[in-house]
């Protein structure tokens, strides 16, 4: 469901101010409406209050509530839209754990802005 101005809304959840800022700027430059949270608890709160969120991009290792736990929580509360996990992990068992939690995709850090846009478009089933 697009925001009131017709843009798709993406929630960024990452405890790194630099990563949040870079993702927000990248996504806004491609005309997405972006909201950001600094940890998993804040991310859960955003999803609970903002029913217009079309996608979540979350870091894994965060204080208070990590990205896997946050993903499990929002999925258990009915969020059924794409969730992409950001991580430095490359192991298959991590991917399986993220999928079991409800993640629909992942990006390995560090990432390039073109990769971010490609993953977002793919997750949201948008054409280039």
């Amino acid at each position: 469901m697009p925001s009131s101005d017709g843009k798709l809304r993406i929630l960024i959840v990452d405890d790194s101010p630099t990563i949040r800022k870079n993702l927000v700027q990248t996504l806004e430059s491609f005309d997405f409406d972006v909201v950001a949270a600094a940890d998993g608890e804040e991310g859960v709160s955003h999803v609970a209050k903002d029913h217009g969120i079309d996608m979540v991009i979350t870091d894994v290792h965060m204080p208070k509530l990590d990205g896997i736990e946050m993903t499990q929580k929002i999925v258990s509360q009915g969020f059924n839209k794409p969730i992409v996990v950001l991580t430095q992990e490359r192991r298959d068992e991590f991917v399986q754990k993220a999928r079991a939690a409800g993640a629909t995709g992942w990006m390995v850090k560090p990432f390039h802005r073109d990769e971010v846009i490609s993953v977002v478009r793919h997750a949201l089933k948008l054409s280039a």
Side-chain angles (χ1 to χ4, degrees), residues 76-110:
S76 74
Q77 294 173 352
F79 187 81
N80 63 353
K81 296 177 182 170
I83 301 170
V84 173
V85 174
L86 298 175
T87 183
Q88 293 177 323
E89 297 282 346
R90 297 176 189 268
R91 297 172 291 157
D92 285 340
E93 64 260 21
F94 169 77
V95 172
Q96 296 308 318
K97 187 176 179 181
R99 282 187 187 199
T104 55
W106 65 93
M107 286 188 292
V108 178
K109 293 178 185 179

Side-chain angles (χ1 to χ4, degrees), residues 19 27 34 63 68 73 80 99 116-117:
I19 298 279
L27 293 166
V34 185
I68 299 294
K73 195 163 199 167
N80 63 353
R99 282 187 187 199
V116 172
I117 296 304

Side-chain angles (χ1 to χ4, degrees), residues 1-4 6-9 51-54 81:
M1 170 188 217
S3 62
S4 60
K7 296 179 182 180
L8 292 172
R9 179 172 290 147
H51 300 288
I53 292 175
D54 298 294
K81 296 177 182 170

Side-chain angles (χ1 to χ4, degrees), residues 25-100:
Q25 288 176 340
T26 295
L27 293 166
E28 286 179 344
S29 74
F30 280 84
D31 215 25
F32 291 101
D33 180 25
V34 185
V35 291
D39 60 58
E41 285 182 0
E42 201 177 315
V44 170
S45 178
H46 272 291
V47 171
K49 291 187 287 187
D50 185 350
H51 300 288
I53 292 175
D54 298 294
M55 179 179 184
V56 173
I57 299 175
T58 183
D59 186 19
V60 172
H61 302 292
M62 297 181 291
K64 298 183 183 178
L65 192 66
D66 73 29
I68 299 294
E69 295 166 327
M70 185 201 77
T71 296
Q72 289 169 328
K73 195 163 199 167
I74 65 174
V75 167
S76 74
Q77 294 173 352
F79 187 81
N80 63 353
K81 296 177 182 170
I83 301 170
V84 173
V85 174
L86 298 175
T87 183
Q88 293 177 323
E89 297 282 346
R90 297 176 189 268
R91 297 172 291 157
D92 285 340
E93 64 260 21
F94 169 77
V95 172
Q96 296 308 318
K97 187 176 179 181
R99 282 187 187 199

